[in-house]
Amino acid sequence: MKALALPNARLAVMLMLTATFFIASSTLMAKLASDPRFGTPLHPLQISHGRFLFAFVLISAVVTATQQKMSRPNLQLHTARSLLGWSGVTLMFAAVAFIPMADATAISFLNPVFAMVFAIPLLGERVGPVRWSAAAIAFLGALVLLRPSPASFEAGALLALGAAVFMGLEVILIKRLANSEPPLQILFVNNAIGLIIASLAVLPVWQMPSPSQWLVLAGVGSAMAMAQFFFVNAMARAEASYIAPFAFTTLIFAAAYDAALFGAWPDVVSGVGALTILSGAGLLAWRESHLKSAASPSE
């Protein structure tokens, strides 16, 4: 299957880091949608619906403005990816109802490790010792941030772990789609399917949002649309097993938002976890750069 974008590991990393910034932004605004200061807290299913609704509106506007031509989409693959993505988001919001948000977030962001593992049988990628080591280091950093305790194995933790599995599988399907369809088409089709799923799911719990909540929901959807755009473009330019662990940097952006907006500065444990995650991602970047330099003739 021919890729539609030229491989470029360095650009893929930059695109993924930008995606994680917007992912953290979307999560932050989803948190605000449940804040009583903006009105009666919205149900997680309604926040998820707003996320898909406004993302679809924004992406549709871009498709119309750019007169994007659509090729024949793989609807079976798109539907599977959309179901996985919606399921991951739903489980994540459900987990927050049982355990602290920081714990749920830390567990759910183990999805890059699952993505790397799934890439072996599903994409036929070969994962060498350096990538395994880098993934293990990143995994350790996530565990440090989680602060394991007996409470980590409650029902909420299992829901968050399920979210990580679904999101890891979604990464694999995004990679397969990115190798065969234009990024904007992928975003348009997936958000259209996701909106249908979310609209059906939200019916039993729908309530009219306040004006402030409408603005927050618009922010959730817009940030997620931007995150998806950069994420899909990153996946089109590097192997999933290489680029997926960089998604761990979302945790660092989330910590920065907490410090800047809520005065929740990270403690020593959080700092160690974040540095450990960055070390794993840095090892991957060094390995890819080293291999590229060795394979390229001197100019």
Side-chain angles (χ1 to χ4, degrees):
M1 191 177 293
K2 185 178 179 181
L4 299 183
L6 294 176
N8 187 327
R10 182 175 299 178
L11 177 58
V13 171
M14 296 304 297
L15 291 169
M16 180 59 77
L17 293 179
T18 305
T20 62
F21 167 79
F22 283 110
I23 291 172
S25 299
S26 178
T27 303
L28 170 66
M29 285 179 278
K31 180 178 179 179
L32 293 178
S34 299
D35 193 318
R37 291 175 296 179
F38 292 92
T40 303
L42 299 178
H43 192 281
L45 287 174
Q46 188 161 357
I47 299 173
S48 179
H49 175 262
R51 173 177 171 175
F52 280 101
L53 173 63
F54 286 101
F56 178 73
V57 170
L58 178 60
I59 293 170
S60 296
V62 174
V63 169
T64 301
T66 59
Q67 298 182 340
Q68 173 75 32
K69 294 183 178 179
M70 297 288 177
S71 59
R72 184 175 181 180
N74 186 332
L75 291 179
Q76 184 176 1
L77 201 58
H78 278 287
T79 301
R81 182 253 165 138
S82 297
L83 281 170
L84 288 170
W86 177 83
S87 298
V89 169
T90 302
L91 287 177
M92 177 61 183
F93 284 130
V96 174
F98 292 95
I99 59 176
M101 183 175 292
D103 288 357
T105 301
I107 297 174
S108 70
F109 278 112
L110 295 179
N111 74 83
V113 173
F114 287 112
M116 194 196 77
V117 173
F118 291 141
I120 300 172
L122 300 180
L123 296 179
E125 294 185 4
R126 298 181 61 184
V127 179
V130 174
R131 287 185 180 179
W132 279 118
S133 299
I137 292 172
F139 182 83
L140 177 61
L143 288 180
V144 171
L145 286 173
L146 177 59
R147 298 170 174 82
S149 66
S152 299
F153 298 95
E154 294 180 351
L158 295 178
L159 289 170
L161 184 62
V165 173
F166 280 121
M167 292 175 182
L169 282 169
E170 183 191 16
V171 169
I172 301 303
L173 298 190
I174 291 174
K175 177 62 179 176
R176 292 182 61 182
L177 287 168
N179 284 342
S180 60
E181 298 182 22
L184 193 55
Q185 174 173 308
I186 294 173
L187 298 180
F188 178 80
V189 175
N190 281 140
N191 278 277
I193 297 174
L195 179 57
I196 294 173
I197 296 171
S199 296
L200 293 175
V202 77
L203 290 177
V205 298
W206 169 265
Q207 68 182 53
M208 179 60 69
S210 68
S212 297
Q213 288 173 330
W214 277 119
L215 290 175
V216 171
L217 291 175
V220 173
S222 298
M224 185 47 58
M226 296 298 295
Q228 289 178 318
F229 173 80
F230 286 107
F231 189 92
V232 170
N233 276 280
M235 296 299 292
R237 289 169 171 80
E239 290 185 353
S241 56
Y242 164 69
I243 197 62
F246 284 93
F248 276 115
T249 54
T250 305
L251 294 171
I252 299 173
F253 283 119
Y257 287 145
D258 276 338
L261 299 178
F262 303 106
W265 291 91
D267 55 18
V268 174
V269 175
S270 297
V272 170
L275 288 175
T276 304
I277 290 171
L278 285 177
S279 297
L283 178 58
L284 280 176
W286 172 85
R287 179 259 187 195
E288 192 71 14
S289 176
H290 179 74
L291 290 182
K292 184 176 180 180
S293 298
S296 301
S298 299
E299 295 183 359

